[in-house]
């Protein structure tokens, strides 16, 4: 809940159950019974906007090594130190469960109030202004941006539209060489609204956000979620299922660690054309030195987290 008064920097303080949140010019400060934590505010807002826009995503969204959320799809654990080996060893972890709506409302209110004019937490650092300083206006267009989610496939009639200069999606500076020609579709009469194809690379070259998988096609539980990446994935994602990655262009380096403890497990450099299956028992964070295109292939089957958690399914889908 927001407190009414503004602090000396012009920002509101917030509480969510026993957690409290305040920001100053550079940092977000989080407090709970038994602990405090400090996060650079640009980093905090970039994680926060994704947690809100993705409705807590699949499994764990670690804002950093200490603070984050665990999605139970309807309710959410908000935690400090729960997936940090040091906190756990000292029994210093703190976790509270809330209805998802309550966390989303609180996080959205923080995001609204703490995001200054000119700072877009979804944008690449080179393409946005500063998050820092005293309160300076608002950025409702950025913080209320809706994640693209196709019903069936982007560009189909009555589905999420393709992108163009005209609707405010110019080709990104790093994708100037991407061919923009659209395929020609010759459908049998009567099937014009059913048969469909589009230039996937052209579509992605016009994405104005980074590290924000959008659902571009849906077949039952199979979701293709492409995204364009630049700089650092602002969360450390703890999987509750396997995720397949297809690197469509350029290069991303992944730090892969144990989901529970954060102990390092692998460094994976994915170059254009590489495919990886990220196991269900890891956390990962990506680094993209220039804007790149990544296809994240998600399985939305709601029975998966329990199958992995109970050990009925192996965390890795293939053995080599
Ligand atoms: C992931 O955690 O798997 C993830 C999240 C956002 C992205 C890419 C991958 O943009
Ligand atoms: Fe992930």
């Amino acid at each position: 809940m927001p407190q009414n008064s503004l602090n000396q920097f012009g920002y509101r303080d917030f509480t969510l159950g026993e957690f409290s949140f305040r920001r100053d010019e550079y940092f977000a400060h989080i407090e709970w019974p038994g602990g405090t934590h400090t996060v650079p505010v640009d980093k905090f807002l970039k994680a926060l906007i994704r947690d809100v826009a993705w409705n807590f995503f699949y499994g764990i969204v670690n804002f950093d090594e200490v603070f984050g959320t665990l999605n139970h799809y309807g309710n959410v654990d908000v935690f400090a130190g729960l997936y940090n080996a040091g906190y756990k060893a000292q029994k210093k972890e703190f976790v509270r469960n809330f209805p998802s709506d309550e966390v989303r409302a609180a996080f959205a209110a923080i995001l609204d109030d703490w995001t200054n004019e000119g700072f877009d937490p979804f944008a690449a650092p080179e393409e946005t202004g500063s998050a820092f300083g005293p309160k300076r206006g608002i950025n409702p267009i950025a913080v209320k941006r809706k994640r693209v989610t196709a019903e069936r496939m982007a560009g189909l009639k009555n589905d999420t539209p393709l992108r163009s200069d005209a609707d405010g999606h110019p080709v990104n500076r790093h994708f100037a060489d991407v061919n923009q020609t659209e395929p020609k579709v010759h459908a049998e009469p009567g099937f014009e609204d059913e048969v469909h194809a589009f230039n996937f690379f052209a579509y992605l070259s016009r994405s104005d956000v980074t590290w924000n998988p959008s659902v571009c096609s849906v077949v039952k539980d199979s979701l293709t979620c492409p995204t364009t990446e630049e700089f650092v994935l602002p969360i450390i994602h703890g999987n509750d299922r396997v995720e397949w990655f297809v690197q469509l262009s350029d290069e991303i380096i992944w730090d892969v660690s144990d989901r529970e403890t954060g102990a390092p497990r692998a460094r994976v450099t994915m170059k254009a054309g590489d495919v990886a299956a990220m196991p269900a028992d890891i956390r990962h964070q990506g680094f993209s030195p220039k804007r790149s295109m990544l296809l994240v292939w998600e399985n939305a089957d709601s029975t998966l987290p329990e199958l992995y958690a109970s050990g009925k399914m192996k965390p890795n889908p293939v053995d080599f």
Side-chain angles (χ1 to χ4, degrees):
M1 297 299 289
Q3 249 91 89
N4 284 329
S5 58
L6 304 180
N7 69 19
Q8 68 192 106
F9 310 104
Y11 298 103
R12 291 184 194 285
D13 297 340
F14 294 85
T15 57
L16 172 65
E18 293 154 278
F19 289 96
S20 68
F21 302 84
R22 78 186 158 80
R23 86 156 273 186
D24 56 26
E25 294 192 71
Y26 281 122
F27 298 106
H29 302 275
I30 309 171
E31 271 189 57
W32 59 91
T36 65
H37 187 55
T38 304
V39 190
V41 77
D42 58 336
K43 183 176 155 108
F44 181 77
L45 293 172
K46 288 181 199 189
L48 188 66
I49 201 170
R50 288 168 175 80
D51 214 15
V52 172
W54 303 346
N55 202 13
F56 309 109
F57 208 36
Y58 299 104
I60 302 164
V61 171
N62 295 290
F63 285 41
D64 63 5
E65 292 70 23
V66 174
F67 183 77
T69 58
L70 168 61
N71 197 355
H72 297 292
Y73 309 95
N75 58 81
V76 180
D77 288 340
V78 179
F79 61 79
L82 188 63
Y83 296 99
N84 179 302
Y87 275 70
K88 291 276 282 188
Q90 298 300 319
K91 297 195 169 32
K92 286 287 184 189
E93 75 272 21
F94 184 81
V95 52
R96 288 290 180 271
N97 183 268
F98 303 92
S100 304
D101 292 346
E102 194 179 329
V103 184
R104 208 171 35 248
F107 282 8
I110 299 174
L111 190 60
D112 270 0
D113 190 70
W114 289 7
T115 303
N116 285 323
E117 185 178 358
F119 178 64
D120 181 347
F122 267 126
E126 281 270 57
E127 298 184 336
T128 191
S130 167
F132 300 126
K135 172 93 170 159
R136 192 184 64 246
I138 52 174
N139 195 349
I141 292 173
V143 300
K144 304 230 184 301
R145 185 188 274 116
K146 289 271 166 295
R147 182 182 183 201
V148 168
T149 50
E151 289 286 321
R152 289 178 59 207
M153 188 172 174
L156 269 179
K157 197 176 165 196
N158 299 326
D159 214 321
T160 187
L162 299 182
R163 299 174 177 139
S164 65
D165 289 347
D167 68 6
H169 292 94
V171 175
N172 184 266
R173 73 199 196 289
H174 282 172
F175 293 139
D177 58 343
V178 173
N179 186 316
Q180 297 291 316
T181 318
E182 288 296 326
K184 291 212 165 39
V185 179
H186 304 278
E188 289 288 322
F191 292 90
E192 292 84 353
D193 294 341
E194 302 290 324
V195 184
H196 172 59
F198 66 98
N199 182 339
F200 200 41
F201 286 89
Y203 181 76
L204 285 177
S205 72
R206 294 173 179 276
S207 164
D208 59 351
V209 290
T210 60
W211 307 104
N212 188 25
S214 52
V215 183
C216 275
S217 76
V218 181
V219 180
K220 297 188 179 161
D221 282 323
S222 171
L223 312 182
T224 55
C225 307
T227 154
T228 56
E229 319 297 48
E230 188 176 330
F231 194 49
V232 183
L233 172 57
I235 62 152
I236 310 168
H237 182 219
N239 285 4
D240 67 1
R241 65 198 69 205
V242 168
E243 290 178 312
W244 287 84
F245 287 171
V246 183
Q247 189 69 38
L248 297 178
S249 84
D250 304 283
E251 183 174 311
I252 297 178
I253 303 147
W254 290 92
D255 274 349
V256 182
S257 313
D258 182 79
R259 183 185 118 116
E260 302 297 313
T261 64
R265 274 181 56 176
R267 293 259 298 166
V268 180
T269 301
M270 295 188 68
K271 296 179 190 292
D274 286 349
V275 179
M278 289 284 171
D281 61 352
I282 57 101
R283 69 179 74 174
H284 52 194
Q285 184 169 42
F287 307 92
S288 188
K290 75 169 278 292
R291 209 175 192 86
S292 70
M293 297 180 183
L294 172 69
L295 177 64
V296 180
W297 185 23
E298 295 283 3
N299 185 336
D301 182 340
S302 61
T303 65
L304 287 175
E306 158 60 17
L307 289 172
Y308 288 116
S310 64
K312 288 197 191 98
M313 275 201 338
K314 280 196 314 177
N316 55 311
V318 274
D319 288 302
F320 294 106

